[in-house]
């Protein structure tokens, strides 16, 4: 399992080779604009997917674009993908600090992925649930704690 993180690269073309090999890739909306050249999040995800996931690619892969109010996710292989938007139940328009939100999202998403790795490789991965956990951990990060967040159960 290989993941790629952008780390605010000055030259996004440096991602060309790593993204062709990545099993997991998430970036924020601003990064996705630079990588794809598109303006709308759905179009950004389509462009990134078309550029880096081939129809002969036999591995299951998941790519996504994080937004303040949720995440667009695409999961699949060989040109057959399940995709959609996972709205955050914990979105706040008054975050304390956005620093680390993307890292926190990936931590929550990957925690769910690790717990359910067998389903990922079989094509039965519940990417919506993983997205919800990612949204939750990002919300905890930007609000500074659990006080305004509803209980999450798996």
């Amino acid at each position: 399992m290989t993941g790629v993180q952008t780390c605010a690269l000055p030259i996004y073309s440096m991602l060309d080779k790593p993204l062709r090999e990545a099993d997991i890739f998430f970036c924020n909306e601003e990064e996705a604009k630079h990588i794809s050249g598109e303006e709308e999040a759905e179009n950004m995800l389509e462009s990134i997917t078309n550029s880096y996931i081939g129809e002969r690619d036999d591995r299951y892969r998941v790519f996504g674009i994080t937004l303040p109010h949720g995440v667009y996710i695409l999961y699949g292989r060989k040109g057959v993908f399940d995709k959609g938007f996972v709205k955050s139940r914990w979105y706040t328009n008054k975050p304390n600090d956005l620093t680390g939100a993307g890292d926190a999202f990936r931590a929550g998403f990957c925690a769910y992925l690790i717990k359910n790795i067998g389903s990922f490789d079989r094509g039965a991965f519940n990417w919506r649930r993983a997205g919800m956990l990612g949204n939750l951990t990002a919300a905890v990060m930007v609000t500074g704690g659990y006080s305004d967040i509803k209980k999450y159960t798996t």
Side-chain angles (χ1 to χ4, degrees):
M1 185 76 48
T2 304
V4 173
Q5 183 163 341
T6 57
C7 298
L9 289 171
I11 303 169
Y12 284 92
S13 63
M14 293 171 65
L15 290 172
D16 285 347
K17 189 174 179 181
L19 284 180
R20 293 184 197 292
E21 300 301 321
D23 298 301
I24 305 166
F25 177 68
F26 284 90
C27 63
N28 65 36
E29 186 175 21
E30 191 62 32
E31 293 164 335
K33 282 181 187 178
H34 290 289
I35 295 166
S36 69
E38 298 288 341
E39 291 295 320
E40 299 294 323
E42 280 185 276
N43 296 338
M44 292 175 208
L45 189 55
E46 286 290 325
S47 174
I48 292 169
T49 301
N50 291 338
S51 296
Y52 298 106
I53 299 178
E55 290 187 13
R56 296 182 198 161
D57 196 336
D58 202 28
R59 300 171 293 152
Y60 280 97
R61 299 169 77 187
V62 62
F63 280 27
I65 299 173
T66 58
L67 305 165
H69 58 285
V71 59
Y72 279 100
I73 297 176
L74 180 141
Y75 165 70
R77 69 177 184 167
K78 292 186 177 182
V80 179
F81 301 104
D82 192 12
K83 60 185 174 184
F85 184 74
V86 179
K87 184 178 178 181
S88 178
R89 298 179 194 173
W90 306 278
Y91 171 71
T92 177
N93 59 2
K94 297 178 184 175
N96 292 337
D97 184 2
L98 296 176
T99 305
D103 293 333
F105 174 87
R106 283 185 289 279
F109 188 94
C110 288
Y112 185 90
L113 173 72
I114 290 166
K115 185 177 177 185
N116 298 280
I117 191 69
S119 66
F120 186 88
D121 294 333
R122 287 192 318 271
F125 182 61
N126 189 338
W127 55 267
R128 289 188 183 278
R129 189 160 284 243
M132 283 192 293
L133 186 55
N135 285 334
L136 172 64
T137 54
V140 169
M141 178 60 104
V142 301
T143 59
Y146 295 96
S147 61
D148 295 329
I149 297 174
K150 297 175 189 172
K151 183 177 180 184
Y152 177 81
T153 57
T154 55

